[in-house]
Amino acid sequence: MKVFKFGGASINSTERIENVSNIIRSFSGEKILIIISAMGKVTNALEKVAEEFYKGNKEGALALFNALKQEHLQVATQLCGESIPQFTDLFTEVEWLLHDKPVREYDYYYDQIVCMGELLSTVIVSHYFNHIGINNQWIDVRDIVRTDDNFRDAGIDWNYTQAKVTGEILPVFNTTDIIITQGFIGSTDENESTTLGREGSDYSAAIFANMLDAESQTIWKDVEGVMNADPKKFSDAVFISELSYNEVIEMAYYGAQVIHPKTIKPLQNKGIPLHVKCFLDASLKGTVISNKPVHHLPPIIVVKQNQVLLQFSSKDFSFIGEKGVGKLYELFTEIKIRPNLMQSGAITVLCSLDDKPERIEKLALAASELFDVQVEKNLTLLTVRHYNDTIVEQLTKGKQQVLSQKTTETIQVVMKEV
C-alpha cells in the first residue's frame, strides 16, 4: 500500500487534474490512499472570505465565496460534463455559517471556512476519476482524523484516529484500490472542523502512512525533487537525490517549505521512505528520504522574510536568568508563537519571529509587564546548513546583520536592507 499527496499546484487546472489521473493509471493494481490539497490559490481566497466575515462584512464574504463556488462548478463541468451532487451540502455548510454573526475567536471561523478548499477539490477529483473509469472511494477525513480544539494548529488524537483508520479505512481497500481524502483538516469530538497548520497536507499523508503501515509515501510537486534552496528565489538551486530523515527534520525546523515540519517523525518511527517526485514528469527519479545517512551535502539555504526582532531587557538591569527565560517560553506557549531564532544575554533576550501582527502585539504587551520590550520589523532571517564562508558572504552582501548565531553545521543571520 502506498500513500500519495498531491498539492494545489498539481490540480490547479483541468489539464493538471487529467495529468494526475495519468499518474494514477501508471500504478494500476496497487492500493493507494491519495491526499489532495485545495486547488491552487483557493486557500488564500478562502482566508479572505474568513477575514471579511469576521470583520462583519457578510455580503462581501458571501460574494467572495460565490466566486469560488462558480470556479469549482466550472471545473467540474469541464471535466465531467455535469455538476456534482455533493457540492450542495458542502456549499451550504459554509453559506449557513456566513449568514451568522461571529461570536467566537477568529481561528475557529478560519478553520470552518478554509477547510472547504480540500473538500471541494477532492470531490472534483474523485468524481472525475470515477467518470473516466478509475474506481475510487471518496472519504471525508473529518470522520477519521480526530483532533483537539486548538484551531489552526490542531493536535492529533492518535489512538482515536488509529482506531478509525483500522476500522473504516482499511476495509474500504477490500472493494477498491483507490481512496481519495483530504489533507490539512480534521475534526473535534464536537464535529467542529480543524486545520493542522498551513501546508499540513504533507503531515496528513504521513499520519495515514504511519497508521496504514504503508510501504512508502510520495509527495508530488512541481519540481524535480528536494532542492538546496527555493528555485523561485535562487536560479542556481541544485537537486538533492537523497536525504536522511534527520536532515529533513532540521531543514523543516528552520523553515524550508519543501516538507511540513511535522511530516517526518511519523514516517521515521516506522522506517517508511518518503519520495518527493515531480508531477510534471513522473519518470524523474525524485528525492528519497530515509534512515540512510547522506554525506557531502551542498549548502542548504532557507530564507524567511517578514521577520520581527523582539528585544526583551531586564527593567532593573538584573540578570534575566532561567526564571526570566522561562516566563518568555510560557508566553510563547500561551500565545501560540515560536521563535525562529533566540539568543540570551545577561540582561537581554533577542527573538526573531514570523510577523503575525495580532500575536506579536499580544506577546509584546504581555511581556512588557516583565521586561522593557523593543520591536523591529521588516527583517529577513537567513539560515544556511552545511555553510561555508563564501556562501555566507555572498548571501549577506549589502545587508546589515542585526543578529547572528552559528554552530559547526548551521548559521543563522537576521538582517535588513542597508
Side-chain angles (χ1 to χ4, degrees), residues 169-212:
I169 296 289
L170 277 173
V172 175
F173 281 116
N174 293 327
T175 56
T176 184
D177 287 342
I178 307 293
I179 292 176
I180 294 177
T181 192
Q182 306 79 38
F184 177 57
I185 61 179
S187 178
T188 69
D189 56 7
E190 299 291 328
N191 290 322
E192 297 169 324
S193 299
T194 56
T195 64
L196 309 181
R198 281 301 295 264
E199 311 301 331
S201 292
D202 292 353
Y203 181 39
S204 297
I207 292 166
F208 279 106
N210 176 287
M211 294 183 177
L212 290 166

Side-chain angles (χ1 to χ4, degrees), residues 107-108 111-112 115 141-162 164 182-197 200 203-204 207-208 211 262:
D107 287 355
Y108 165 78
D111 281 5
Q112 310 317 300
C115 74
V141 79
R142 296 175 298 178
D143 295 332
I144 306 298
V145 174
R146 170 69 56 84
T147 74
D148 59 22
D149 61 358
N150 183 23
F151 297 103
R152 293 188 74 178
D153 192 19
I156 303 295
D157 181 335
W158 285 85
N159 291 333
Y160 181 94
T161 304
Q162 178 69 74
K164 281 284 192 176
Q182 306 79 38
F184 177 57
I185 61 179
S187 178
T188 69
D189 56 7
E190 299 291 328
N191 290 322
E192 297 169 324
S193 299
T194 56
T195 64
L196 309 181
Y203 181 39
S204 297
I207 292 166
F208 279 106
M211 294 183 177
K262 296 177 182 176

Side-chain angles (χ1 to χ4, degrees), residues 5-273:
K5 181 262 177 172
F6 289 94
S10 67
I11 56 160
N12 65 2
S13 67
T14 55
E15 292 78 16
R16 289 277 174 90
I17 294 172
E18 289 167 353
N19 177 62
V20 169
S21 74
N22 293 330
I23 291 173
I24 299 304
R25 284 192 193 280
S26 72
F27 291 90
S28 178
E30 299 200 48
K31 305 285 186 185
I32 306 173
L33 182 133
I34 305 174
I35 298 281
I36 299 176
S37 300
M39 295 172 67
K41 308 301 182 186
V42 167
T43 298
N44 292 338
L46 284 166
E47 286 177 340
K48 291 179 181 176
V49 173
E51 288 165 8
E52 292 304 309
F53 165 75
Y54 201 71
K55 288 191 294 189
N57 183 10
K58 180 179 77 173
E59 296 306 319
L62 284 166
L64 288 170
F65 185 66
N66 186 60
L68 284 170
K69 276 176 59 176
Q70 298 309 315
E71 287 178 23
H72 285 83
L73 287 166
Q74 183 178 8
V75 171
T77 302
Q78 288 174 345
L79 286 169
C80 308
E82 59 184 4
S83 183
I84 300 172
Q86 284 167 284
F87 273 170
T88 302
D89 289 341
L90 294 175
F91 291 152
T92 301
E93 188 177 324
V94 174
E95 289 167 337
W96 177 82
L97 182 146
L98 295 179
H99 279 95
D100 207 347
K101 289 184 178 180
V103 293
R104 298 177 63 170
E105 289 190 356
Y106 172 74
D107 287 355
Y108 165 78
Y109 294 105
Y110 177 99
D111 281 5
Q112 310 317 300
I113 294 168
V114 170
C115 74
M116 197 51 55
E118 275 70 14
L119 292 161
L120 293 173
S121 67
T122 52
V123 162
I124 289 174
V125 175
S126 174
H127 196 79
Y128 171 65
F129 277 16
N130 280 324
H131 179 71
I132 62 172
I134 302 175
N135 295 324
N136 73 92
Q137 177 66 49
W138 180 88
I139 288 177
D140 187 334
V141 79
R142 296 175 298 178
D143 295 332
I144 306 298
V145 174
R146 170 69 56 84
T147 74
D148 59 22
D149 61 358
N150 183 23
F151 297 103
R152 293 188 74 178
D153 192 19
I156 303 295
D157 181 335
W158 285 85
N159 291 333
Y160 181 94
T161 304
Q162 178 69 74
K164 281 284 192 176
V165 168
T166 302
E168 298 187 22
I169 296 289
L170 277 173
V172 175
F173 281 116
N174 293 327
T175 56
T176 184
D177 287 342
I178 307 293
I179 292 176
I180 294 177
T181 192
Q182 306 79 38
F184 177 57
I185 61 179
S187 178
T188 69
D189 56 7
E190 299 291 328
N191 290 322
E192 297 169 324
S193 299
T194 56
T195 64
L196 309 181
R198 281 301 295 264
E199 311 301 331
S201 292
D202 292 353
Y203 181 39
S204 297
I207 292 166
F208 279 106
N210 176 287
M211 294 183 177
L212 290 166
D213 290 317
E215 66 177 79
S216 65
Q217 174 180 331
T218 302
I219 297 173
W220 295 89
K221 300 178 75 70
D222 57 357
V223 290
E224 183 181 355
V226 178
M227 314 290 281
N228 76 317
D230 184 347
K232 294 173 185 172
K233 296 177 181 175
F234 296 91
S235 59
D236 57 351
V238 297
F239 166 71
I240 304 173
S241 61
E242 288 184 276
L243 285 165
S244 69
Y245 292 127
N246 287 341
E247 181 64 40
V248 175
I249 288 171
E250 292 288 342
M251 290 170 64
Y253 175 80
Y254 289 115
Q257 294 297 305
V258 67
I259 307 292
H260 187 274
K262 296 177 182 176
T263 300
I264 298 300
K265 201 61 186 169
L267 303 175
Q268 186 179 30
N269 286 353
K270 289 195 172 178
I272 300 168

Side-chain angles (χ1 to χ4, degrees), residues 264-335:
I264 298 300
K265 201 61 186 169
L267 303 175
Q268 186 179 30
N269 286 353
K270 289 195 172 178
I272 300 168
L274 173 62
H275 299 269
V276 181
K277 296 199 64 171
C278 182
F279 64 77
L280 298 172
D281 185 352
S283 67
L284 294 174
K285 181 183 174 184
T287 302
V288 61
I289 299 161
S290 68
N291 266 325
K292 180 182 174 184
V294 181
H295 304 289
H296 308 299
L297 287 167
I300 293 172
I301 302 163
V302 181
V303 177
K304 297 194 79 171
Q305 309 282 359
N306 300 317
Q307 293 293 291
V308 179
L309 187 70
L310 268 66
Q311 178 174 303
F312 306 99
S313 301
S314 171
K315 287 189 173 185
D316 58 4
F317 297 101
S318 62
F319 290 165
I320 284 184
E322 293 179 4
K323 186 176 179 182
V325 174
K327 288 285 187 185
L328 284 176
Y329 273 107
E330 287 177 14
L331 290 175
F332 297 150
T333 302
E334 181 184 325
I335 296 168

Side-chain angles (χ1 to χ4, degrees), residues 386-398:
H386 318 295
Y387 66 92
N388 57 59
D389 291 341
T390 302
I391 193 74
V392 173
E393 184 178 341
Q394 177 186 330
L395 293 170
T396 58
K397 188 176 181 180

